[in-house]
Amino acid sequence: LLSALIFAGLLQFHPSVSGVAILAGVYTELFGLAYALAQTIKESAEATQRALHQTEVERLGALHGLVAGVAHELNTPLGALRSSADSLTKISERLSAPVSDPEAAERATHRAVRALPRLAEAIKSGSDRVDTVVRSLKVFAQLDEAEEQVCDLHEGLQSALTLLAPKLSPKVEVVRV
């Protein structure tokens, strides 16, 4: 600034002021400008670093929520599958036990046979639910897809809604048209 004013003729020095003093003033001013620029760059870099960190924290939080939701969506049908497997094991043990009372064995056999369709339905329902969640994860992550391709927006939205279902309030109604 000082040198620009001198060059423009707006600032004049008394003849007794030496060129060295003028140069010292110009260098001092340049040093001040360089220091201010360095501070601005440093502050900008720090602000960018804070913004990147905040974005990463938010991304990890969203990922945590998604993983918790998927874990919940998988644990529920897995519990039904384990329960059905336990019931089938107990039925198998009862049916293969030695028979001392033929009438009691026949009643136990009838109860077991009546329970089998419910167990089969629970197993099918649980495995279908696990399959739905896994397919939704694949669509969501596009694991089986090329890098760029045309996609079905409705399918992507449905997979995201399936994965987010545990996080949605029962009061929330999603309407697709």
Side-chain angles (χ1 to χ4, degrees):
L1 179 65
L2 185 61
S3 58
L5 292 174
I6 293 170
F7 183 74
L10 299 174
L11 183 64
Q12 294 180 356
F13 288 96
H14 192 272
S16 65
V17 176
S18 72
V20 173
I22 294 172
L23 278 176
V26 169
Y27 284 138
T28 301
E29 186 176 336
L30 285 175
F31 178 76
L33 289 172
Y35 180 78
L37 179 61
Q39 283 300 107
T40 302
I41 291 171
K42 179 181 174 187
E43 290 168 4
S44 177
E46 289 171 353
T48 301
Q49 191 65 24
R50 283 192 304 273
L52 287 172
H53 178 73
Q54 182 63 30
T55 301
E56 188 67 21
V57 166
E58 290 171 3
R59 182 185 302 154
L60 287 174
L63 181 60
H64 178 267
L66 178 63
V67 169
V70 169
H72 173 77
E73 283 296 300
L74 292 175
N75 276 331
T76 301
L78 285 176
L81 292 170
R82 285 188 188 111
S83 176
S84 297
D86 289 343
S87 296
L88 286 172
T89 301
K90 289 176 185 173
I91 288 172
S92 174
E93 289 170 356
R94 286 184 191 147
L95 291 176
S96 63
V99 177
S100 59
D101 181 6
E103 287 182 21
E106 187 176 338
R107 284 191 306 272
T109 300
H110 286 296
R111 279 194 309 269
V113 169
R114 285 193 311 267
L116 290 176
R118 287 192 316 269
L119 291 173
E121 181 55 37
I123 290 169
K124 181 172 179 357
S125 174
S127 62
D128 286 348
R129 184 66 191 145
V130 169
D131 182 58
T132 299
V133 171
V134 169
R135 276 188 285 112
S136 293
L137 279 171
K138 283 184 173 182
V139 168
F140 185 75
Q142 298 178 352
L143 294 178
D144 296 336
E145 308 295 326
E147 272 191 44
E148 288 185 23
Q149 70 174 15
V150 176
C151 67
D152 182 354
L153 183 60
H154 295 288
E155 182 183 32
L157 178 60
Q158 184 58 48
S159 72
L161 289 172
T162 298
L163 297 174
L164 292 173
K167 295 292 181 189
L168 295 177
S169 166
K171 297 176 182 177
V172 172
E173 180 184 353
V174 178
V175 179
R176 294 184 304 151
V177 287

